[in-house]
Amino acid sequence: MSIVLIKNNVEDWEEFLVNVFNESYRVFQKKRHDYGTENINMLGLKDVFVRIWDKTWRLKHLIWENKSPENESLEDTFLDIMNYCIIALSLLKKGKW
């Protein structure tokens, strides 16, 4: 996946955001299909925190060490963090996801 912002105006920024949200939703659907919901519902926010922590440390390692990812791209990692934040909000608002 590659999300690109070409121009610097409001319409292009809004299109960029829509593309990011759509890609995030696509990834969310695939991972929810593969993992289900019980893996996070068991530990709730603590589980989401650990998953975000793991992704954050992955980014820190790659960015600070100036390394190229071999598995998932940096964009994929940021999308995962975004989706974990959405799951956390669902847990806060609904008590489940």
Side-chain angles (χ1 to χ4, degrees):
M1 188 226 30
S2 182
I3 302 170
V4 179
L5 179 60
I6 298 173
K7 298 176 187 170
N8 193 15
N9 62 47
V10 173
E11 292 81 19
D12 290 326
W13 179 247
E14 288 173 354
E15 182 179 340
F16 172 77
L17 287 176
V18 168
N19 289 335
V20 169
F21 293 145
N22 286 338
E23 182 62 17
S24 172
Y25 183 62
R26 187 190 66 74
V27 169
F28 185 87
Q29 288 178 308
K30 283 183 167 185
K31 292 205 175 185
R32 186 171 182 164
H33 175 268
D34 289 348
Y35 291 98
T37 59
E38 289 308 308
N39 59 329
I40 289 178
N41 283 334
M42 288 174 46
L43 296 175
L45 286 174
K46 290 177 183 177
D47 192 12
V48 175
F49 174 80
V50 169
R51 291 166 192 264
I52 292 172
W53 184 264
D54 286 343
K55 293 291 182 175
T56 302
W57 271 97
R58 179 180 185 277
L59 286 172
K60 182 236 174 244
H61 177 72
L62 291 172
I63 293 170
W64 261 254
E65 302 294 326
N66 198 29
K67 295 187 177 199
S68 296
E70 291 187 12
N71 185 18
E72 64 184 42
S73 70
L74 292 178
E75 287 181 12
D76 290 342
T77 302
F78 281 114
L79 287 172
D80 285 344
I81 292 171
M82 182 176 165
N83 284 331
Y84 285 131
C85 290
I86 292 168
I87 291 169
L89 290 171
S90 176
L91 289 168
L92 287 171
K93 299 276 185 186
K94 300 175 3 179
K96 63 180 182 173
W97 80 282

